[in-house]
Amino acid sequence: MGARPAATARSQRRKEDSVTSATPVTSSVTVHDTTSAAALDRIRRLPAGRRRILFTGATLVTMDPGLGTVDRGDLLVEGDTIAAVGHGLDAADAVTVDATGTILTPGFVDTHRHAWQAQLRRIMPDVDDLGGYVMATLAGHATVYRPEDMYTGTRLAALTAIDSGITTMLDFSHNSRTREHSDAAIRALLDTGIRGVHASMGPHFGDWERQWPADLTRLRSEYFSSDDQMLTLRLAALATDEIAGPALAYGPGLARTAADLDIGVSVDAVFGAASSEAVLRWAKDGLLGPGVTLIHSTGLTPDAWRAMGETGTTVALAPTSDAQIGLETAVPAVDEALSAGIRPGLSIDVEVALAGDMFTQMRTLHALQRMRAVNAAYGSGRQPSRITTRDVLDFATLQGAHTNGLAAVTGSLTPGKKADLLVVQAEDLNNMPLNDPIGTLVLGCDARNISTVLINGEPRKWNGQVLDVDVPALRREVHASRAYVLGSRP
C-alpha cells in the first residue's frame, strides 16, 4: 500500500531520526479544512460498518516499528478498523478528508486513573504526602459517594480524556461500595464511547457491601462477555495491606479470582521496601506475568525489578503523581524499568491534585529523566543516557496499550488494528512550522491542537469539539454532585 517495508525497531529509529530531525517534514504547506461539518455529516449518515474514511496528505506518526513516520501519507479507515497506510491510496465511496498540515497519530493510552474523583479536580493542589491524600479523599470524600456520583465523575473524566486525545483509559475504580456503584462506573464509560478498562476494587474505608471480589463474576457475565468489545475488565488491588487491610492486597486469593475469570490484574501503591518484598513473594508463587500491571513501582529494589523483568510483568508509571504526592523517592522509575527490559505505560492517577492530560505526563517524564541523566554524568566525562521524545510517545501509545493488555487492538496506526487515532493541527500558531512531528507531539501540542478524535472508527471529537455532549447540562450535573459530596462528607 505504499508503506515502508518492515524493519527492526533499532534500524527504524535511526531512519526516523535521520529524516525527522535533520530536515523539516515539508518545505511548504497549505492548511486545508480537515474537519468540515459536511464531512462529519457524510460520515455519520453511513452505517458504522459501511463507513470508509480516507485521510490524505498528513504526516503519519504510526508508532509501528515497521511503518515508522510517513510524510504526506494517506490512511484509510474501514468501519472500525485501520485498513491501509501509505501513499496515493484510492478508496471508492470513501469520505475523503484532506489532512494536509496535520499529524495523524495513535490515540494516547492512560494506564491508571481514579476516574470517579473527577468532580473534585484540583481540590488539593498542594497535597503534602500520600497520607494527606488518603485521609482527605479515600477516608473522607469517597465514603459518601452514591452511584450517581460514581457515574458523574467517571463520565467527566472520560470525556475530558477524549478531548485531550486519550482514546483508551484504564479506570482504577476503587470505590465500588455496592453493585450499583460498579454498574454506574461501567455505564459512564459506555456512554462516552471511550475504549475503557474497568479495573474494579472495593473501597479502602467506610461502609460497603463487601460484594467485591465475588461481584466480578456478575460483571464479567453482564458487561464483558465478549472479548471483541469496547470495554474490558480487570481486577484491581493494592500491593500491601498497609493502607486498607489484607482483603484488598494482591496475593494468591485475588490472583486465583483473576485467573478463573481470565482477566488481567492492576496493582496500585507499588512502592518502597514492603512492595519490593511483596514482588519477590509474587514471583516465587508464580503470581507475576504479562497480565499483571504494577503501578508506580517507585523506590523498588534491584531484586524486585529483576523479578518483574524476568516474568514479563508490565509497569504503569505516574510521573506527576510520584513527584507531586511524594511517593518514596518521588522519581518516576523509567530508568529502572528500561534496565529491567520493561517499556512502561504512562498514567494520570488522581485529578484531585494533578493534571488530567497525557501531554503533561510525557513532558514531565522527559524532563525529569534527562535532568537526572545529565546530573549523574556531570563532571565525570561520561555521556548521559537520555530518553528521547520518541520513547515517551511510545510509552504513551503502544506501550500503554501493551500494559493494558490491548496491544493487538490499539496503540499504533497499524493496518488491522482498531481506528483509535488523532488528527493534530501541526500548523497552528503554537506548532508552526512543522519540523519534527514526534517532537511537536511531545513538546509542542496540547488539547486545543487536537481537531479530531476517532475511537473504534467513530468520530468522538470533530472540529475541536467533543461530540454528543450537552456541556451546560453536564456542568450542572458535575456541580450538583460536588455539592452533595462536599456537603455530606463526615
Side-chain angles (χ1 to χ4, degrees), residues 288-293 305-315 340-342 402:
L288 294 179
V292 176
T293 298
W305 278 106
R306 190 175 304 110
M308 292 155 61
E310 289 173 352
T311 55
T313 300
T314 59
V315 168
I342 300 170
H402 172 66

Side-chain angles (χ1 to χ4, degrees), residues 234-237 250 254-255 258-259 263-267 291-294 314 403:
R234 286 173 80 92
L235 182 148
Y250 183 56
L254 292 180
I263 59 176
V265 178
S266 293
V267 185
V292 176
T293 298
L294 304 185
T314 59
T403 301

Side-chain angles (χ1 to χ4, degrees), residues 47 86 119 143 151 170 179 191 230 286 288 292 316 344 378 385 393 407 448-449 459 475:
Q119 62 267 70
T143 62
Y151 178 88
L170 185 143
R179 290 162 50 119
D191 289 351
M230 290 286 289
L288 294 179
V292 176
Y378 179 71
S385 179
L393 185 60
R448 66 184 150 158
N449 304 124
R475 185 177 296 115

Side-chain angles (χ1 to χ4, degrees), residues 112-117 138 145 150-151 153-154 169-186 188-189 197-204 208 211-212 216 219 233-237 248 266 268 295 349:
H112 151 240
R113 182 193 307 233
H114 304 296
W116 58 269
Q117 302 175 7
L138 303 181
Y145 262 62
M150 293 289 290
Y151 178 88
T154 304
M169 183 182 75
L170 185 143
D171 175 22
F172 196 110
S173 191
H174 61 349
N175 200 20
S176 297
R177 299 186 174 274
T178 67
R179 290 162 50 119
E180 290 74 23
H181 283 70
S182 296
D183 293 342
I186 293 168
L189 296 176
V197 183
H198 177 74
S200 175
M201 192 181 95
H204 294 65
W208 61 293
Q211 82 289 349
W212 182 92
L216 286 167
L219 296 177
L233 178 67
R234 286 173 80 92
L235 182 148
L248 302 178
S266 293
D268 202 356
I295 301 167
D349 199 359

Side-chain angles (χ1 to χ4, degrees), residues 349-413:
D349 199 359
V350 293
E351 288 192 75
V352 294
L354 305 168
D357 66 284
M358 193 59 70
F359 296 110
T360 298
Q361 309 310 317
M362 290 192 291
R363 287 172 189 153
T364 298
L365 186 65
H366 186 256
L368 286 177
Q369 192 279 337
R370 291 169 73 90
M371 176 185 68
R372 289 184 72 204
V374 173
N375 180 262
Y378 179 71
S380 69
R382 299 192 310 269
Q383 183 67 25
S385 179
R386 301 177 177 97
I387 61 172
T388 66
T389 52
R390 190 188 189 283
D391 284 323
V392 292
L393 185 60
D394 180 49
F395 302 157
T397 55
L398 186 58
Q399 301 310 320
H402 172 66
T403 301
N404 282 351
L406 296 171
V409 176
T410 189
S412 64
L413 302 183

Side-chain angles (χ1 to χ4, degrees), residues 20-220:
T20 60
S21 62
T23 58
V25 173
T26 53
S27 57
S28 63
V29 66
T30 300
V31 179
H32 296 269
D33 179 10
T34 63
T35 54
S36 70
L40 176 64
D41 181 65
R42 288 182 59 199
I43 291 168
R44 290 194 137 185
R45 279 192 283 108
L46 293 169
R50 291 174 48 201
R51 289 176 185 162
R52 307 183 84 206
I53 309 170
L54 179 62
F55 295 95
T56 63
T59 298
L60 308 179
V61 176
T62 71
M63 301 313 294
D64 180 313
L67 296 175
T69 297
V70 182
D71 186 24
R72 294 175 180 167
D74 302 342
L75 183 144
L76 176 65
V77 174
E78 292 185 345
D80 61 5
T81 302
I82 298 170
V85 170
H87 292 99
L89 299 181
D90 185 16
D93 302 323
V95 177
T96 299
V97 178
D98 184 350
T100 306
T102 73
I103 303 168
L104 262 65
T105 185
F108 302 129
V109 179
D110 182 357
T111 58
H112 151 240
R113 182 193 307 233
H114 304 296
W116 58 269
Q117 302 175 7
Q119 62 267 70
L120 302 178
R121 283 172 172 162
R122 270 71 70 184
I123 199 169
M124 50 192 316
D126 299 308
V127 58
D128 291 326
D129 55 25
L130 179 61
Y133 160 74
V134 168
M135 296 312 296
T137 304
L138 303 181
H141 302 311
T143 62
V144 301
Y145 262 62
R146 305 162 296 177
E148 52 263 47
D149 302 311
M150 293 289 290
Y151 178 88
T152 296
T154 304
R155 180 168 177 253
L156 177 61
L159 289 171
T160 311
I162 292 170
D163 186 43
S164 65
I166 293 170
T167 55
T168 301
M169 183 182 75
L170 185 143
D171 175 22
F172 196 110
S173 191
H174 61 349
N175 200 20
S176 297
R177 299 186 174 274
T178 67
R179 290 162 50 119
E180 290 74 23
H181 283 70
S182 296
D183 293 342
I186 293 168
R187 282 201 315 273
L189 296 176
L190 285 168
D191 289 351
T192 61
I194 199 165
R195 191 174 301 283
V197 183
H198 177 74
S200 175
M201 192 181 95
H204 294 65
F205 303 100
D207 296 330
W208 61 293
E209 292 185 351
R210 308 285 167 174
Q211 82 289 349
W212 182 92
D215 192 45
L216 286 167
T217 301
R218 177 188 69 88
L219 296 177
R220 181 79 161 96

